[in-house]
């Protein structure tokens, strides 16, 4: 399941390191090429909360295998796409596959491991998100630089097929224990702690992706580095993200408000300082480390916030969180594209910084789940 989430997130984020060549090949601007990320996130945002309703009591193992096959086919379509409309179709299909995997993955840990290992198993499943930043996006960038961006999509399609085979062989039968309903979603939306968690997630994730989607052109403009070094920068960011993921998780359980405040401050500081201090590669690399450490902890910390806010409605709050999270990815890529096309990539960094600081303020003034001792 961890490799599955890695494959999903890598598929989603693949355009990040390939915007320039994709835009050139499909005859669109970098801002328009960034819509490939917006479209995928938007489809996933709409689909994720509805997905458990659509599959009802179907065997989750069969559904997951089918989703990975769909993901492979969609990435192959992206690799072949002769024009931007066909790329859009491919990215819509990737969004559907991503929504399904995310909607199912969060709730599977209790059914795959003993009770005492559920926390660690859940963290492992979601670690695929952070690991994708290390091995997925940078590897795609390197492949794109060496043999072309289309080959990067072919590679992730092959991985998706391998994961589908592994799921078919290794996962047990996972028939739904009960049919999903919408009443739980309405209930959690009346919880002020959940609402605060959703607000801070929207601000942080939107801000991050407003900047991260267009980080390649920003680094090329501000720092003047080559495409190959951009891949190195993304690798540095990703390694820091993994560290941030595992460092923030336990702290978010003990002190969710403090953890989110620190992460918001780190993201905001990094993206605001890159245009000023990132004019040389070492300084840019250091700021990418701060950015990675900070944002690497956001997914697990925000998910922990949501689960601690509504522990009795875990399935509903997770579906809602996945939808909002992916909607924020789409929104971030969209507003970042507007900023990039209108005033240059640096303006996307200013916007991201403002949103991250807004997330910090929302965390400080909003209702938070209780801190834990120890």
């Amino acid at each position: 399941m961890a490799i599955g989430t890695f494959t999903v997130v890598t598929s989603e984020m693949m355009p990040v390191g390939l915007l320039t060549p994709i835009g050139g090949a499909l005859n669109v601007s970098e801002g328009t090429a960034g819509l490939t990320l917006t479209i995928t996130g938007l489809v996933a945002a709409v689909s994720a909360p509805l997905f458990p309703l659509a599959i009802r009591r179907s065997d989750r193992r069969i559904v997951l295998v089918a989703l990975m096959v769909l993901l492979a086919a969609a990435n192959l379509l992206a690799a072949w796409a002769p024009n931007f409309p066909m790329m859009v179709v491919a990215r819509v299909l990737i969004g559907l596959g991503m929504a399904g995997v995310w909607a199912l993955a969060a709730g599977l840990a209790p059914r795959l491991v003993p009770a005492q290992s559920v926390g660690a198993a859940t963290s492992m499943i979601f670690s695929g998100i952070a690991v994708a930043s290390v091995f997925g996006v940078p590897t795609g960038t390197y492949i794109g630089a060496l043999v072309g961006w289309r080959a990067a999509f072919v590679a992730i399609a092959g991985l998706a097929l391998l994961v589908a085979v592994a799921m078919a062989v290794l996962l047990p039968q996972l028939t739904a224990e009960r049919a999903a309903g919408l009443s739980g979603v309405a209930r959690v939306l009346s919880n002020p702690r959940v609402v605060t968690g959703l607000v801070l997630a929207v601000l942080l994730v939107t801000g991050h992706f407003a900047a991260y989607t267009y980080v390649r052109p920003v680094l090329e403009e501000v720092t003047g580095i080559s495409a190959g070094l951009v891949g190195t920068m993304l690798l540095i960011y990703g390694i820091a993200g993994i560290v941030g993921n595992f460092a923030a998780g336990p702290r978010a359980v003990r002190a969710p408000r403090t953890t989110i405040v620190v992460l918001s401050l780190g993201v905001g500081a990094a993206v605001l300082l890159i245009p000023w201090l990132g004019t040389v590669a070492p300084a840019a690399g250091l700021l990418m480390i701060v950015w990675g450490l900070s944002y690497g902890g956001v997914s697990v910390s925000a998910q922990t916030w949501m689960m601690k806010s509504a522990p009795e409605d875990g399935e509903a709050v997770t579906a809602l969180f996945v939808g909002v999270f992916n909607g924020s990815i789409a929104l971030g890529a969209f507003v970042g594209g507007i900023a990039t096309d209108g005033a240059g990539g640096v303006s996307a960094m200013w916007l991201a910084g403002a949103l991250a600081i807004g997330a910090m303020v929302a965390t400080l003034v909003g209702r938070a789940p209780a801190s834990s001792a120890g």
Side-chain angles (χ1 to χ4, degrees):
M1 289 307 304
I3 299 173
T5 59
F6 165 84
T7 305
V8 164
V9 174
T10 300
S11 297
E12 179 188 16
M13 300 300 160
M14 188 65 75
V16 169
L18 302 170
L19 279 185
T20 303
I22 289 175
L26 303 182
N27 297 313
V28 296
S29 69
E30 289 174 345
T32 300
L35 291 176
T36 57
L37 199 65
T38 302
I39 291 163
T40 302
L42 185 59
V43 170
V46 173
S47 304
L50 302 176
F51 194 80
L53 299 175
I55 62 173
R56 305 295 291 175
R57 294 186 178 275
S58 301
D59 187 337
R60 269 50 178 166
R61 178 182 63 176
I62 295 174
V63 174
L64 284 166
V65 171
L67 289 169
M68 297 309 299
V69 171
L70 172 63
L71 203 65
N75 277 296
L76 288 175
L77 182 60
W80 171 78
N83 51 50
F84 189 68
M86 189 58 66
M87 175 63 80
V88 169
V89 172
R91 298 297 293 177
V92 167
L93 294 176
I94 289 173
L96 290 173
M98 181 177 70
V101 174
W102 273 48
L104 295 178
L108 286 185
R111 304 184 63 183
L112 297 176
V113 299
Q116 66 270 20
S117 302
V118 166
T122 302
S123 298
M124 178 62 70
I125 288 173
F126 281 100
S127 72
I129 299 171
V131 176
S133 298
V134 175
F135 296 108
V137 176
T139 299
T141 304
Y142 280 124
I143 292 174
L146 290 174
V147 292
W149 63 270
R150 296 182 188 274
F153 283 98
V154 172
I156 194 63
L159 177 60
L161 286 176
L162 291 175
V163 174
V165 172
M167 286 179 171
V169 173
L170 299 176
L171 289 180
Q173 184 178 8
L174 294 167
T175 304
E177 296 170 334
R178 62 181 180 181
L182 289 175
S183 59
V185 175
R187 184 166 54 252
V188 297
L189 281 175
S190 65
N191 183 328
R193 295 172 181 82
V194 170
V195 173
T196 299
L198 293 176
V199 170
L200 67 88
V202 168
L203 292 172
L204 255 182
V205 177
T206 299
H208 167 76
F209 281 97
Y212 186 64
T213 305
Y214 304 96
V215 68
R216 174 172 178 163
V218 169
L219 289 174
E220 290 175 340
E221 173 189 349
V222 172
T223 315
I225 60 178
S226 64
L229 194 52
V230 170
T232 301
M233 290 288 187
L234 292 175
L235 179 62
I236 291 171
Y237 164 89
I239 292 172
I242 291 182
V243 175
N245 175 75
F246 287 105
R251 289 165 175 79
V253 172
R254 295 194 298 269
R257 190 197 300 269
T258 300
T259 303
I260 294 291
V261 166
V262 171
L263 297 177
S264 301
L265 182 61
V267 171
V271 297
L272 289 173
L273 290 174
I274 282 176
W276 285 353
L277 303 180
T279 53
V280 293
L286 180 60
L287 290 170
M288 291 295 288
I289 290 173
V290 174
W291 190 357
L293 285 170
S294 302
Y295 188 76
V298 167
S299 296
V300 64
S301 298
Q303 175 70 18
T304 299
W305 179 298
M306 300 300 288
M307 295 300 292
K308 285 174 68 70
S309 297
E312 70 284 357
D313 288 302
E315 182 176 311
V317 80
T318 296
L320 188 62
F321 174 71
V322 169
V324 168
F325 194 98
N326 283 284
S328 300
I329 292 173
L331 180 61
F334 178 70
V335 298
I338 293 175
T340 298
D341 283 349
V346 169
S347 65
M349 308 299 279
W350 302 136
L351 173 63
L355 290 171
I357 298 305
M360 183 178 69
V361 173
T363 305
L364 288 170
V365 303
R367 295 284 297 277
S371 298
S372 303

